Amino acid sequence: MTSGVDLGRPQTQAVGSDEDVVRVRQLVRTVAVAAKLSLVDQTKVVTAASELARNTLVYGGGGSVEVSTVDNGRKQGIKILFADSGPGIADLNLALTDGYTTGGGLGLGLSGARRLVDEFDIQTAPGQGTRITITKWSR
Amino acid sequence: MERVPILKIGDILLVSIQVDMSDQTAVALQEDLAERIVATGCHGVIIDITALDIVDSFVGRMLSTIASISRVLDAETVVVGMRPAVAITLVELGLSLNGIRTALNVERGMELIAAERADQGDDEFDYGPDTELTASP
């Protein structure tokens, strides 16, 4: 494997600083290339990962990101889990609304990231932290 | 933290972002640019994002903010070199890049700024037909 990433197992990146968000982007890019995503799909999933990793840092108080390749028999894809033990999200519908923010941002992170990927799953509750899983398939 | 260099070419400040910017680097660039605009009196800012493989909402907001700050300081901002995949992703993400002018490359960006300044120059010295009448003997 020329990418230097062992795709047989998930890659984990801790998220505790700005620089870690950059590392998440780079890791996701490497795995997305290996999963044979098109350039546009690579760009979409890296952008979504950047938004969600920033949320993990800013709202979740830090956490971790796990990146792996997936294969459903017909096509390959990339699956990314963002996990934090932060305060969680009380009103998920509101949080997923375009333009809603509690942090002074544009309010596009969560809603925008969801539009950029094929599958988006979020598990959260007040005081329970947040776990978001996204998947992007090759076409 | 890495810092993005700002080059002065004539009346224009040129920023070519060559690193995968952390959020801190992006905020520092915003502040550095504001200072350089005032220090140099430049009337144009070109931000070259050819090397950026993504623009997320944070960087998008930074570009909008730079454009707004520049305008207040009497400088035009043009973002050049956006990759097609980045443009497609930005639109799907929902970022509108309010107030940002774009051009395909640095050369066209410089032409855009020059044209903009020329238009403004014309306006300033156009006193209209009334002025001409009173000026004639």
Side-chain angles (χ1 to χ4, degrees):
Chain A
M1 193 61 55
T2 50
S3 66
V5 173
D6 177 8
L7 295 170
R9 34 198 291 220
Q11 307 289 314
T12 304
Q13 171 67 54
V15 178
S17 73
D18 266 5
E19 280 75 21
D20 288 339
V21 176
V22 175
R23 290 186 191 102
V24 168
R25 288 203 286 263
Q26 289 163 352
L27 175 61
V28 170
R29 167 76 65 181
T30 307
V31 176
V33 169
K36 301 205 165 47
L37 264 61
S38 71
L39 182 58
V40 170
D41 286 339
Q42 286 170 35
T43 306
K44 287 181 181 179
V45 75
V46 174
T47 304
S50 184
E51 300 292 347
L52 297 175
R54 182 178 297 108
N55 283 356
T56 299
L57 177 67
V58 174
Y59 300 102
S64 67
V65 174
E66 192 182 281
V67 187
S68 47
T69 52
V70 282
D71 192 328
N72 68 359
R74 290 183 298 118
K75 44 193 179 181
Q76 282 185 291
I78 177 172
K79 183 175 165 183
I80 314 168
L81 165 69
F82 304 81
D84 68 61
S85 320
I89 301 171
D91 188 338
L92 196 52
N93 283 333
L94 189 58
L96 281 166
T97 306
D98 267 354
Y100 177 78
T101 180
T102 57
L106 294 173
L108 289 174
L110 211 51
S111 54
R114 185 164 69 162
R115 278 194 292 274
L116 292 174
V117 298
D118 296 319
E119 290 161 31
F120 183 97
D121 175 66
I122 181 164
Q123 289 171 16
T124 184
Q128 304 288 305
T130 302
R131 290 172 68 86
I132 296 176
T133 310
I134 61 173
T135 309
K136 187 84 180 167
W137 296 101
S138 62
R139 318 234 158 257
Chain B
M1 183 191 70
E2 292 184 273
R3 277 190 122 82
V4 179
I6 301 168
L7 310 176
K8 181 176 178 296
I9 302 173
D11 193 31
I12 286 173
L13 294 176
L14 175 64
V15 180
S16 186
I17 303 171
Q18 298 290 330
V19 294
D20 195 343
M21 286 191 297
S22 71
D23 292 359
Q24 277 185 345
T25 302
V27 170
L29 173 61
Q30 208 169 287
E31 292 167 4
D32 291 350
L33 252 180
E35 277 180 27
R36 286 295 297 278
I37 291 170
V38 172
T40 60
C42 280
H43 291 302
V45 176
I46 292 180
I47 303 176
D48 174 28
I49 59 168
T50 312
L52 285 192
D53 53 18
I54 68 151
V55 170
D56 64 12
S57 66
F58 195 90
V59 171
R61 183 166 59 144
M62 175 208 74
L63 293 174
S64 287
T65 307
I66 285 177
S68 303
I69 294 171
S70 305
R71 200 164 301 126
V72 172
L73 298 174
D74 193 24
E76 284 290 325
T77 302
V78 181
V79 172
V80 305
M82 185 181 294
R83 297 183 185 186
V86 170
I88 292 168
T89 303
L90 267 183
V91 170
E92 202 157 316
L93 183 64
L95 264 184
S96 55
L97 294 187
N98 272 333
I100 295 187
R101 293 168 148 271
T102 55
L104 278 185
N105 53 41
V106 173
E107 199 174 7
R108 292 206 186 170
M110 292 176 94
E111 286 167 9
L112 190 62
I113 288 172
E116 191 77 22
R117 294 306 291 181
D119 283 354
Q120 286 180 16
D122 286 348
D123 289 348
E124 275 172 36
F125 298 108
D126 183 10
Y127 296 108
D130 289 346
T131 319
E132 277 169 30
L133 281 176
T134 52
S136 44

